[in-house]
């Protein structure tokens, strides 16, 4: 019965030295109007006041602390510990609108395919939380045209609602990547699961000087490594279904990489 679809959603917040923004992120998760949630915070070996901030929430959150291993390992621990049927990622420096989970569960409730992945548009804010611009994602069936998703720019992980089952089938985040683990994961999932674009803005992504994509020297190296992997593992049939011909695919990839940094974070 669609009317009684009320799954437990696990909001997982990985954090490393996030004292500047973490409280805002946790508060935005706890403020969700959809109440069947749990909030899991994974401290990835922080050396600042992250531990103190997390402990101040007591039983309102489920808190786990581990040695530093990168965001992939923190996300994976959150997935292992989650009790929910659906996973929702929230970076420690980003924010949810208070109806983020409700809007996505309402949308999923109307779908026959409960193993679908929902993704949305999003808002960019600066380090003070001031609006900069909106990012609107294209709308098409990524399962039918998976390689077209390469040129969307990144699907934003914090906008998504993901069935836990998909991690059991596609594997967890690849810990060899510290910067592009999300894009690697979406490329694996896109080949097996329907991604539905929900035309709403229900999250805020913060752009600031401390984030990994701005501070990690490995970002460019990882981006190149991931593109090589995608090309090496590419499926000709899926390329043709996405672009009508291999030549067009490689032509568009050349133009994309020529005009952008060869990374996606």
């Amino acid at each position: 019965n669609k009317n009684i679809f009320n799954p437990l959603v696990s909001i997982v917040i990985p954090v490393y030295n996030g004292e500047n923004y973490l409280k805002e992120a946790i508060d935005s998760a706890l403020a969700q109007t959809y109440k069947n949630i749990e909030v899991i915070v994974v401290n990835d070996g922080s050396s600042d006041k992250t531990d103190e901030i997390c402990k101040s929430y007591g039983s309102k959150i489920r808190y786990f602390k581990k040695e530093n291993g990168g965001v992939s390992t923190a996300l994976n621990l959150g997935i292992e510990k989650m009790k929910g049927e659906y996973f929702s990622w929230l970076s420690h420096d980003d924010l949810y609108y208070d109806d983020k989970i409700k809007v996505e569960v309402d949308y999923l409730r109307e779908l026959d395919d409960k193993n679908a992945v929902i993704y949305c548009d999003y808002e960019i804010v600066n380090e003070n939380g001031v609006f900069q611009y909106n990012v609107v994602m294209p709308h098409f069936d990524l399962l039918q045209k998976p390689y077209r998703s390469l040129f969307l720019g990144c699907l934003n992980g914090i906008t998504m609602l993901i069935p836990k089952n998909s991690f059991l089938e596609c594997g967890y985040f690849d810990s060899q990547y510290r910067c592009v683990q999300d894009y690697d994961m979406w490329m694996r999932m896109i080949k097996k699961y329907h991604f539905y674009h929900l035309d709403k803005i229900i999250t805020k992504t913060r752009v600031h000087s401390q984030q990994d994509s701005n501070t990690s020297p490995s970002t460019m190296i990882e981006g190149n490594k991931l593109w090589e992997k995608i090309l090496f593992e590419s499926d000709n049939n899926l390329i043709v279904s996405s672009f009508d011909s291999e030549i067009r695919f490689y032509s568009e990839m050349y133009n994309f990489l020529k005009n952008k940094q060869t990374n996606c974070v």
Side-chain angles (χ1 to χ4, degrees):
N1 189 330
K2 287 182 180 178
N3 295 325
I4 58 171
F5 180 71
N6 188 48
L8 177 63
V9 175
S10 300
I11 299 173
V12 176
I13 307 175
V15 55
Y16 173 67
N17 288 347
E19 64 180 8
N20 289 351
Y21 304 115
L22 177 61
K23 189 174 187 307
E24 282 183 79
I26 294 174
D27 288 347
S28 79
L30 292 172
Q32 291 302 296
T33 57
Y34 182 84
K35 295 305 180 186
N36 195 18
I37 62 168
E38 61 171 1
V39 179
I40 297 172
V41 182
V42 180
N43 179 355
D44 188 34
S46 300
S47 57
D48 63 356
K49 294 179 181 174
T50 290
D51 184 63
E52 186 181 319
I53 292 166
C54 292
K55 286 178 177 173
S56 73
Y57 284 89
S59 61
K60 291 180 182 177
I61 66 172
R62 295 178 61 207
Y63 176 49
F64 300 95
K65 191 175 178 182
K66 61 184 279 300
E67 289 185 8
N68 181 253
V71 67
S72 299
T73 62
L75 287 167
N76 290 343
L77 180 61
I79 293 165
E80 287 169 15
K81 299 292 186 182
M82 66 182 271
K83 297 174 181 175
E85 295 172 63
Y86 292 89
F87 164 89
S88 186
W89 173 4
L90 176 57
S91 298
H92 77 266
D93 47 1
D94 293 339
L95 298 162
Y96 283 169
Y97 277 78
D98 61 8
D99 61 349
K100 192 266 186 188
I101 304 299
K102 179 184 184 300
V103 166
E104 292 182 325
V105 171
D106 286 349
Y107 185 83
L108 193 60
R109 185 178 292 120
E110 299 304 314
L111 295 177
D112 292 329
D113 181 9
K114 296 297 188 279
N115 277 321
V117 177
I118 311 299
Y119 71 100
C120 305
D121 306 326
Y122 56 98
E123 181 179 319
I124 298 290
V125 299
N126 68 13
E127 46 197 54
N128 299 314
V130 177
F131 172 81
Q132 302 296 297
Y133 55 91
N134 291 329
V135 178
V136 178
M137 304 301 291
H139 185 97
F140 57 84
D141 189 338
L142 301 181
L143 188 65
Q144 299 302 316
K145 298 181 181 292
Y147 284 96
R148 282 188 57 188
S149 67
L150 291 169
F151 310 125
L152 294 180
C154 273
L155 295 164
N156 189 334
I158 73 155
T159 74
M160 294 182 180
L161 189 66
I162 301 173
K164 184 176 182 180
N165 289 343
S166 64
F167 294 108
L168 304 179
E169 184 177 353
C170 299
Y172 286 9
F173 288 93
D174 190 336
S175 59
Q176 73 169 310
Y177 297 122
R178 294 179 76 99
C179 305
V180 298
Q181 70 289 326
D182 49 352
Y183 207 44
D184 172 68
M185 175 61 79
W186 314 147
M187 282 308 298
R188 280 186 271 148
M189 285 187 175
I190 280 167
K191 294 173 185 175
K192 296 187 177 182
Y193 288 83
H194 280 286
F195 277 54
Y196 287 90
H197 175 234
L198 178 53
D199 186 20
K200 288 197 174 180
I201 292 174
I202 47 181
T203 63
K204 299 180 182 183
T205 291
R206 196 188 307 260
V207 176
H208 60 89
S209 57
Q210 273 86 49
Q211 59 202 156
D212 277 351
S213 55
N214 291 330
T215 60
S216 173
S218 65
T219 301
M220 184 67 76
I221 296 167
E222 281 194 11
N224 290 334
K225 189 175 176 183
L226 180 59
W227 280 106
E228 288 171 10
K229 177 187 174 186
I230 289 168
L231 284 169
F232 183 74
E233 295 179 355
S234 60
D235 180 313
N236 287 351
N237 291 328
L238 288 176
I239 285 173
V240 172
S241 70
S242 297
F243 286 94
D244 301 325
S245 74
E246 289 182 61
I247 291 173
R248 186 177 167 200
F249 166 68
Y250 288 113
S251 173
E252 293 210 18
M253 176 170 277
Y254 170 78
N255 289 325
F256 177 82
L257 296 179
K258 183 177 69 172
N259 295 321
K260 290 182 178 288
Q261 286 186 313
T262 52
N263 61 38
C264 190
V265 291

